[in-house]
Amino acid sequence: MNFQKTLIAPSILACDFSRLGTEVERLTAAGADWIHCDVMDGHFVDNISFGPAFVEAASRHTKQPLDVHLMIERPDHYFPRFSEFSSSISVHVEAPHDVKKTLTGIRQAGCLAGLALSPPTPISAIEPFLGHFDILLVMTVNPGFGGQAFMPEMLEKVQTGKEWREEKGLEFHIEVDGGVGPATAELSRQAGANVMVAGTSVFKAKNAATEIAALH
Ligand code: DX5
Ligand code: ZN
């Protein structure tokens, strides 16, 4: 696993849903490494975004890996509905499910398994699952909505994750999600993150390719 390379994962939550295919094609041409898909159920977070049919439709417009982020109550029940067309699926440690079993199931389905944590959750919450995930997803805003301000104090979690990875000889990506733009991406990279989720910054930019290059 190469976690030295910085990967940019634009979030389609910020795109024009009426032009999903065109938007995904535009991002792919602009240099997106992964396409981040934020799934919200109105229970785990106070917003409803889209489900498997939407993500499947997006998958038909790109060859880049789809990075699915499940902000939902029963990720163990729903992840199989995404696995066929996704390359990675992240689930929240705060959701009520058997976390180890879900992560194992995601891997068995042929996807990278991600473990996500929300801002109020301490990094210690993911320690029991070290070795069972391929992506540590550190939320840098409260999950639910795009366009919020980056919380720099979350970078401590990124740093700890990186230290644990080194100490224990593990391999996993460290992904930051929320409020990421060129400046906060650089701070995140310095702390040890290698996957940058960016919604607003990429979609609101005049030129997505220039913005993705700046994020790189
Ligand atoms: C928040 C989502 C993020 C977010 C990123 O719940 O998980 O992926 O939409 O969007 P920006 O870059 O606008 O914060
Ligand atoms: Zn996300």
Side-chain angles (χ1 to χ4, degrees):
M1 182 181 287
N2 180 359
F3 38 77
Q4 311 308 330
K5 195 173 166 248
T6 300
L7 303 173
I8 309 304
S11 165
I12 56 170
L13 184 66
C15 86
D16 176 352
F17 285 8
S18 72
R19 303 166 64 238
L20 176 65
T22 320
E23 289 283 77
V24 170
E25 286 164 17
R26 182 169 74 88
L27 287 169
T28 303
D33 297 290
W34 292 359
I35 305 289
H36 188 80
C37 306
D38 286 306
V39 176
M40 305 178 183
D41 66 351
H43 292 281
F44 184 75
V45 290
D46 188 28
N47 195 7
I48 302 175
S49 58
F50 47 75
F54 192 87
V55 178
E56 190 276 329
S59 77
R60 283 187 264 122
H61 292 268
T62 186
K63 289 203 163 63
Q64 294 306 81
L66 290 199
D67 178 41
V68 172
H69 178 192
L70 297 180
M71 283 162 277
I72 66 174
E73 205 84 310
R74 294 181 59 206
D76 51 332
H77 179 73
Y78 287 105
F79 83 77
R81 314 236 185 137
F82 295 87
S83 56
E84 208 179 298
F85 38 80
S86 306
S87 110
S88 49
I89 301 178
S90 295
V91 296
H92 270 262
V93 70
E94 302 89 1
H97 61 122
D98 181 337
V99 175
K100 217 171 263 180
K101 198 171 160 207
T102 307
L103 294 170
T104 305
I106 294 171
R107 281 178 165 177
Q108 279 168 351
C111 299
L112 296 180
L115 190 56
L117 76 169
S118 296
T121 308
I123 186 73
S124 57
I126 65 104
E127 204 175 358
F129 310 110
L130 285 169
H132 295 271
F133 56 81
D134 310 295
I135 301 171
L136 171 62
L137 193 165
V138 176
M139 295 283 323
T140 43
V141 298
N142 282 308
F145 298 90
Q148 305 179 71
F150 184 86
M151 299 164 78
E153 58 278 22
M154 295 303 132
L155 293 178
E156 241 177 72
K157 296 183 194 175
V158 171
Q159 246 149 9
T160 306
K162 188 188 174 207
E163 282 162 21
W164 286 349
R165 186 174 68 191
E166 278 161 20
E167 280 165 19
K168 299 175 200 291
L170 297 168
E171 294 207 338
F172 54 83
H173 296 284
I174 303 179
E175 181 170 22
V176 285
D177 186 2
V180 177
T184 47
E186 178 55 21
L187 294 176
S188 304
R189 196 193 57 78
Q190 283 168 7
N194 69 299
V195 185
M196 314 292 165
V197 176
T200 311
S201 93
V202 168
F203 281 93
K204 299 292 171 266
K206 271 209 188 87
N207 185 320
T210 312
E211 187 69 10
I212 291 175
L215 284 159
H216 263 296

